[in-house]
Amino acid sequence: MTLSTIRTIDKILLGVIVAVLVLTVGIYFYSTDFFSLTYAREDGYVEYGTAIFLFVASLVLMMNARSLKARGASLALACTLFYALLFFFAAGEEISWGQRIFGWETGETFQEINKQQETNLHNLIVPTPWGDFHLAKTLFGPILTLILLIYLAVLPLLYPRVGWIKRTLDRIAAPVPGTRHAVLAVAASLVIAAIDVSRKWEVYELVFSLLATSIFLLPQNREHTT
């Protein structure tokens, strides 16, 4: 894939993100019921869109890994394959590994320990001496959101200014967001914070999956990640 083609795809992805945010605000003011029951509903367009672009992001990382392998960059290759695996896992988790698509029954174990009685890990309830530990509300909730915001909005500013951060990220081939990604991440955060409707976080996840695909295609440090 030529750099010109990648730049064109990147512009399309950024345009789709803007369109999603505008549509989200419009639907919110049109009808909060339509927002929750149709637009961002379980197994709806937003959720499946998220799963699709998380999978596409994984494929982009695999494509990058192929280039790194040809260059003989062993550490960067191993790290990129790990990133690809994480995004493949996230895509599968988003749709409970196709459970509702193919209609299989939830196993007995997951029925007991999964909040939604589905075949996925992010909705697990882990019993502890201090009470039940809900992964969706803790590790996959505010903690993950904070990590992603630092990655999307803070890291683009630190990367070109802090030498040890730049060297470390380049060494492990971690794709660094650009300014355009940071601006859109902040805009999405403001939109999500401003609207008060159930299932608004589904839109946030879709925006992240689109941003991730764009970042992996054309990061600040592309010469170290492909």
Side-chain angles (χ1 to χ4, degrees):
M1 190 183 302
T2 66
L3 183 58
S4 175
T5 300
I6 290 174
R7 292 187 189 279
T8 299
I9 295 173
D10 180 65
K11 290 178 181 178
I12 292 172
L13 288 169
L14 299 182
V16 171
I17 293 171
V18 172
V20 166
L21 293 177
V22 171
L23 183 62
T24 296
V25 173
I27 290 177
Y28 171 71
F29 283 109
Y30 168 71
S31 170
T32 55
D33 286 340
F34 184 82
F35 191 108
S36 298
L37 300 177
T38 302
Y39 176 58
R41 68 179 175 86
E42 189 86 9
D43 298 328
Y45 295 118
V46 170
E47 187 170 57
Y48 283 128
T50 300
I52 289 170
F53 279 101
L54 287 172
F55 180 68
V56 171
S58 176
L59 291 180
V60 172
L61 287 166
M62 290 297 295
M63 180 177 68
N64 292 346
R66 182 179 179 183
S67 298
L68 292 168
K69 181 180 179 180
R71 287 169 45 188
S74 301
L75 177 59
L77 170 62
C79 291
T80 301
L81 288 174
F82 176 69
Y83 307 148
L85 181 62
L86 284 180
F87 274 80
F88 178 79
F89 174 79
E93 282 284 297
E94 182 67 20
I95 55 173
S96 297
W97 300 98
Q99 179 176 5
R100 291 185 300 277
I101 297 174
F102 302 106
W104 70 64
E105 294 294 326
T106 303
E108 187 174 323
T109 301
F110 277 94
Q111 286 186 15
E112 295 176 358
I113 64 175
N114 188 283
K115 181 182 177 182
Q116 296 184 349
Q117 296 185 321
E118 297 175 341
T119 310
N120 60 53
L121 298 181
H122 69 277
N123 283 318
L124 289 187
I125 300 175
V126 181
T128 72
W130 306 277
D132 290 340
F133 186 75
H134 293 240
L135 294 185
K137 291 183 179 180
T138 52
L139 182 60
F140 292 105
I143 294 176
L144 181 59
T145 300
L146 177 61
I147 292 172
L148 292 178
L149 277 176
I150 292 173
Y151 170 70
L152 291 168
V154 179
L155 197 59
L157 300 175
L158 295 180
Y159 175 78
R161 294 173 174 83
V162 183
W164 70 266
I165 291 179
K166 183 179 188 301
R167 289 191 297 272
T168 301
L169 296 177
D170 289 345
R171 182 171 173 76
I172 63 174
V176 178
T179 303
R180 65 195 186 284
H181 302 122
V183 170
L184 286 173
V186 171
S189 299
L190 292 175
V191 168
I192 295 301
I195 63 178
D196 182 17
V197 60
S198 62
R199 299 193 63 80
K200 65 180 183 179
W201 297 105
E202 298 296 330
V203 177
Y204 209 37
E205 292 173 4
L206 174 58
V207 170
F208 170 72
S209 68
L210 288 161
L211 279 172
T213 304
S214 171
I215 293 166
F216 301 159
L217 278 171
L218 204 59
Q220 277 198 57
N221 57 340
R222 188 172 185 272
E223 67 276 12
H224 297 283
T225 61
T226 60

